[in-house]
Amino acid sequence: MAAAAAATGAARSQLNKGRSSRRLPVARVRVAVRLRPFVEEVGNPSESSCVRGLDSCSLEIANGRNSQETLKYQFDAFFGETSTQQDIYVGFVQPILRHLMNGQNASVLAYGPTGAGKTYTMLGSPEQPGIIPRALKDLLQLTREEGAEGRPWALAVSMSYLEIYQEKVLDLLAPASGDLVIREDRWGNILIPGLTQKLIASFTDFEQHFLPASRNRTVGATRLNQRSSRSHAVLLVKVEQRERMAPFRQREGKLYLIDLAGSEDNRRTGNQGLRLKESGAINASLFVLSKVVDALNQGLPRVPYRDSKLTRLLQDSLGGSAHSVLIANIAPERRFYADTVTSLNFASRSKEVINRPFTHKSFQPPVKLAPKELMDPPEAKRARNQEELEDGTGSPESSPSCPKLSPLKQLDILEPAVQERLLNLDRILGSRGSQGTSVLSTPRRERTALEKALKEKDSEIQRLKEKYKELEAHRLSQKSMELENEENGSLAPLHPPPSQTVLMTKPLHRVAPFQQIQEQTTSQDNQVLKKESRKRKPEPGGQREERAEGLRAALALLQMPPDLLAESRRRILGLLNTGSARELRRLQRIGEKKAQLIVGWRELHGPFAEVEDLRRVEGISEKQVATFLKANILIFAAQCYRDFPRKDP
């Protein structure tokens, strides 16, 4: 009954996308379970295993509610503790690669709790390569065989590598690209604009791109795993095929290799600060993934793909058009019992999901030539000239059947001033001989362009004249002000010696004395304060006194010596680099959340080089950093003010 309901929901979603009106073949998601080897806990050598394999497809686990009973699960395959990477790849992953040669999609997902061996299953080690290197070797070999000379199809393979970190899609091949968006085209295909694609022709090309990108993935240490994946990693391999002969069909198949981050119990991992935030994002996305599987199995009209970036990207793998394989990794230790049961229940529900794969193909339509492009060259040229004459854009001189027009007749429609300029320009160009051509004998298009250029030059000259007049008036006003200042006894501007000539495009601005600048600044501040006081409503006496005290403090900051400012910034930076979360909360504009973020960032990246480096902390913007600096620098300046006495001006 559940399978029938899931099939109905999948069919309904396919019809809503409008991909095809016919009934598509059904492909159920195939699920395998891998049990990693037992690892003894330090200080607890008596711990036992809670999982036992029955055969190649089933297993049993102890019942946590009744120790006398066991829970049995059956899947498409079960790989025990002694299974190798080769057994898992050959028995479960290799068969789906052939679908890519038919233009269909395929996906492999590694699921399980943290520390269960998902990354090892996907990547492996140099001695035991995982699914990703084995699949790429076989896929590149298949494309070389199918795309060899003499075969009907030409093939090209490209790769993209991304991670989903705290609901942000990041390109691992180009880390500086920032957060990317996930889109859907009109045929329902999921795509990511701006995602880097690298063409690969051999396994060496793949390693050159994949190994540096893998080092860009976000990892961190927890109590359960020293290199815990803090993001979901997705390797997308695209196989494009083009037919070498008519009808020139095109096919495209995609392979998704997905290493999901493990669900975490923060009580056992001991996550705090940034690790706690990462764990929350991971658990939230895996919860949405479980909701998607339940909605597909129940045949609900709405599947919550859009509730998470992960499920949005897996839309084609679960309930879509891909041949999907899920490998659930579990741990045998009894301390992981709750996580193991949760993973087995999710895997059991996932094997009921129905996909409907189909071939992604298109046709390259033949290029249709216009009737005049099918003519012989002389006939096409005559037709083009006739069309230009009808539109009024062709040159009469270029047609042999049209007589050459008189220059005076061509100038009749122009203004007298323009006619005179054109005649003068024509005489100048004619005097150059073979270096120039007569304007009146040029085609109409070129003549129009010359006329437009002349108008633009005239307007430019007029604009420069007006600008020169403004500069001259400004210079005279400056000179009169200098004369007035000399009469009043102020300092006169320095003039160059008579023997030197100074060329200036703009008049010199006189530098006023320092006292005069202070008086002007004070008067301007007083005017601004008067305007603000007229606009504001009357305030109580206490608020007016507080506001006046704040203004006096701001003016004191403006008159503060540079060494006092530097010392204040140094003390703030020292507290940011050495203070605990409790000490950081004593700062202005720093709460409990921001204090934890600062401490977490400092543990990962080291001390701050300057106060402005706070903007590099996730969750603190540049505007907040500026507000923080303004709020705290006065307090620290007041504390060290006695060490730096004010100097008399």
Side-chain angles (χ1 to χ4, degrees), residues 543-615:
Q543 295 184 5
R544 278 201 304 271
E545 292 178 0
E546 293 178 359
R547 190 177 300 277
E549 184 66 25
L551 290 176
R552 283 194 293 271
L555 292 175
L557 178 60
L558 292 175
Q559 298 176 358
M560 191 181 301
D563 51 356
L564 183 59
L565 285 174
E567 177 65 17
S568 303
R569 292 174 62 90
R570 188 187 67 78
R571 294 191 181 185
I572 294 174
L573 182 61
L575 183 57
L576 290 176
N577 288 330
T578 60
S580 62
R582 184 175 181 180
E583 293 173 344
L584 291 175
R585 287 199 298 269
R586 297 175 184 173
L587 294 172
Q588 298 293 324
R589 304 290 181 176
I590 297 296
E592 182 178 358
K593 182 178 179 181
K594 290 183 180 178
Q596 293 179 356
L597 291 176
I598 293 172
V599 173
W601 190 93
R602 196 172 62 197
E603 292 176 356
L604 289 177
H605 305 282
F608 297 95
E610 55 183 6
V611 182
E612 285 73 8
D613 287 346
L614 275 176
R615 63 177 180 270

Side-chain angles (χ1 to χ4, degrees), residues 447-518:
R447 188 169 65 249
T448 305
L450 289 174
E451 295 170 4
K452 185 177 179 181
L454 285 174
K455 292 180 180 179
E456 291 177 354
K457 292 295 182 182
D458 290 342
S459 60
E460 182 70 15
I461 291 172
Q462 187 66 23
R463 189 183 65 82
L464 291 175
K465 288 181 178 179
E466 294 176 357
K467 185 67 175 177
Y468 177 78
K469 292 179 180 179
E470 293 177 1
L471 293 175
E472 186 68 19
H474 184 65
R475 188 182 66 82
L476 294 175
S477 63
Q478 290 286 339
K479 190 173 182 180
S480 62
M481 290 177 61
E482 291 174 2
L483 293 175
E484 292 177 2
N485 291 334
E486 289 178 358
E487 293 176 357
N488 295 331
S490 59
L491 294 176
L494 297 176
H495 294 282
S499 59
Q500 298 181 0
T501 303
V502 181
L503 298 178
M504 295 182 294
T505 57
K506 293 185 179 180
L508 289 174
H509 294 281
R510 181 178 175 277
V511 180
F514 180 72
Q515 294 180 355
Q516 186 176 352
I517 293 176
Q518 279 190 333

Side-chain angles (χ1 to χ4, degrees), residues 25-42:
V26 172
R28 183 176 54 83
V29 175
R30 300 179 68 242
V31 179
V33 175
R34 183 180 190 182
L35 179 66
R36 70 159 171 79
F38 185 87
V39 179
E40 291 185 359
E41 185 180 10
V42 179

Side-chain angles (χ1 to χ4, degrees), residues 230-443:
R230 314 309 298 167
S231 63
H232 309 292
V234 180
L235 175 64
L236 172 59
V237 182
K238 186 183 297 185
V239 180
E240 297 179 343
Q241 307 178 53
R242 287 181 173 82
E243 201 169 13
R244 288 192 170 100
M245 301 179 65
F248 304 106
R249 291 173 295 177
Q250 298 181 6
R251 297 189 302 201
E252 182 182 271
K254 297 178 182 178
L255 174 62
Y256 296 89
L257 299 170
I258 305 161
D259 179 15
L260 298 174
S263 58
E264 295 183 345
D265 185 354
N266 293 316
R267 294 170 297 181
R268 292 193 292 114
T269 57
N271 292 331
Q272 292 181 357
L274 182 61
R275 292 287 173 264
L276 186 63
K277 187 177 181 181
E278 294 170 347
S279 177
I282 293 171
N283 292 338
S285 60
L286 294 177
F287 176 69
V288 177
L289 178 62
S290 178
K291 288 172 56 179
V292 167
V293 172
D294 292 340
L296 291 172
N297 291 337
Q298 298 173 17
L300 299 180
R302 179 188 178 273
V303 181
Y305 289 116
R306 296 177 180 268
D307 292 358
S308 171
K309 296 285 184 69
L310 174 63
T311 52
R312 184 72 169 136
L313 195 60
L314 297 181
Q315 186 170 342
D316 192 51
S317 303
L318 297 174
S321 63
H323 296 269
S324 297
V325 168
L326 175 68
I327 302 176
N329 294 262
I330 59 175
E333 294 84 8
R334 189 168 293 275
R335 63 180 181 272
F336 294 106
Y337 175 80
D339 295 331
T340 300
V341 172
T342 302
S343 300
L344 291 176
N345 290 336
F346 175 80
S348 181
R349 298 195 306 271
S350 298
K351 70 179 183 179
E352 305 296 334
V353 175
I354 301 297
N355 291 350
R356 297 186 178 276
F358 63 91
T359 300
H360 299 261
K361 60 184 178 181
S362 61
F363 292 89
Q364 184 177 1
V367 180
K368 295 183 179 181
L369 299 178
K372 62 182 180 181
E373 294 180 354
L374 299 175
M375 301 179 184
D376 293 335
E379 297 178 357
K381 184 176 180 179
R382 285 196 295 270
R384 185 166 58 252
N385 291 339
Q386 183 65 26
E387 183 178 339
E388 290 178 354
L389 288 176
E390 292 176 358
D391 295 341
T393 59
S395 173
E397 293 80 5
S398 62
S399 176
S401 61
C402 185
K404 186 175 181 179
L405 298 178
S406 170
L408 295 178
K409 189 173 182 180
Q410 296 177 19
L411 294 177
D412 287 342
I413 59 174
L414 301 177
E415 297 179 358
V418 178
Q419 292 181 14
E420 184 178 357
R421 289 178 187 156
L422 285 175
L423 290 173
N424 293 334
L425 182 60
D426 187 55
R427 283 193 294 269
I428 294 172
L429 294 176
S431 63
R432 297 181 182 178
S434 59
Q435 296 180 358
T437 57
S438 177
V439 176
L440 301 182
S441 61
T442 57

